[in-house]
């Protein structure tokens, strides 16, 4: 799995700011219309002369949760790799990962494993 992209990290930051009622930065204001059009955010009460209050939709909350889980998983994976490197253990190869996923399928966990054997060596 590739690490989370900078775009997704920026989206997470904007969604969290909206969720916490913090003002958007100059750069995140450009996302305003995109977030509304993708139904992640909705404009609240409009007061003349003020920016409309933004709030996350149910889809926005779920996207935010998903991105948080992804960041946590990437952080944990990085920590495991660092610990293995410090211990002198070799990093798992693509073949090791594929074998692990095959064994999961053998245990009846086929829905959670996606295998790409084209890269395995």
């Amino acid at each position: 799995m590739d690490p989370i992209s900078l775009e997704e990290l920026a989206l997470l930051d904007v969604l969290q700011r909206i969720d916490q009622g913090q003002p958007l930065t100059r750069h995140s204001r450009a996302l305003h219309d995109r977030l509304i059009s993708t139904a992640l955010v909705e404009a609240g009460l409009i007061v003349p002369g003020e920016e409309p209050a933004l709030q996350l939709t149910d889809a926005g909350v779920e996207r935010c949760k998903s991105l948080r889980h992804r960041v946590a998983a990437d952080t944990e994976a990085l920590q495991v790799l660092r610990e293995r490197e410090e211990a002198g253990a070799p990093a798992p190869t693509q073949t090791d990962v594929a074998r692990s996923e095959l064994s999961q399928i053998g245990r009846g966990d086929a829905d959670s494993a996606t295998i790409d054997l084209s890269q395995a060596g």
Side-chain angles (χ1 to χ4, degrees):
M1 177 183 282
D2 293 327
I4 192 165
S5 71
L6 291 176
E7 286 179 350
E8 289 177 317
L9 285 173
L11 175 60
L12 176 59
D13 179 60
V14 171
L15 291 176
Q16 287 178 330
R17 283 178 170 279
I18 291 169
D19 188 43
Q20 296 167 359
Q22 296 177 350
L24 299 179
T25 64
R26 180 173 50 96
H27 300 292
S28 57
R29 289 188 190 282
L31 290 174
H32 180 269
D33 292 335
R34 270 185 42 202
L35 292 173
I36 291 174
S37 69
T38 57
L40 295 176
V41 172
E42 61 188 5
L45 184 63
I46 299 175
V47 177
E50 293 184 21
E51 291 280 328
L54 299 176
Q55 58 190 28
L56 298 180
T57 61
D58 290 341
V61 170
E62 291 303 316
R63 182 72 170 136
C64 195
K65 285 180 186 178
S66 173
L67 291 170
R68 285 182 191 154
H69 287 295
R70 179 75 189 275
V71 168
D74 285 357
T75 303
E76 187 175 334
L78 182 60
Q79 183 63 34
V80 167
L81 290 175
R82 283 184 183 154
E83 288 173 3
R84 286 182 181 173
E85 190 176 277
E86 289 172 4
T93 64
Q94 189 80 14
T95 304
D96 294 335
V97 172
R99 284 187 185 132
S100 171
E101 290 174 349
L102 283 172
S103 69
Q104 287 178 350
I105 291 173
R107 291 193 308 263
D109 196 14
D111 290 338
S112 67
T114 303
I115 302 173
D116 181 9
L117 294 177
S118 65
Q119 300 287 331

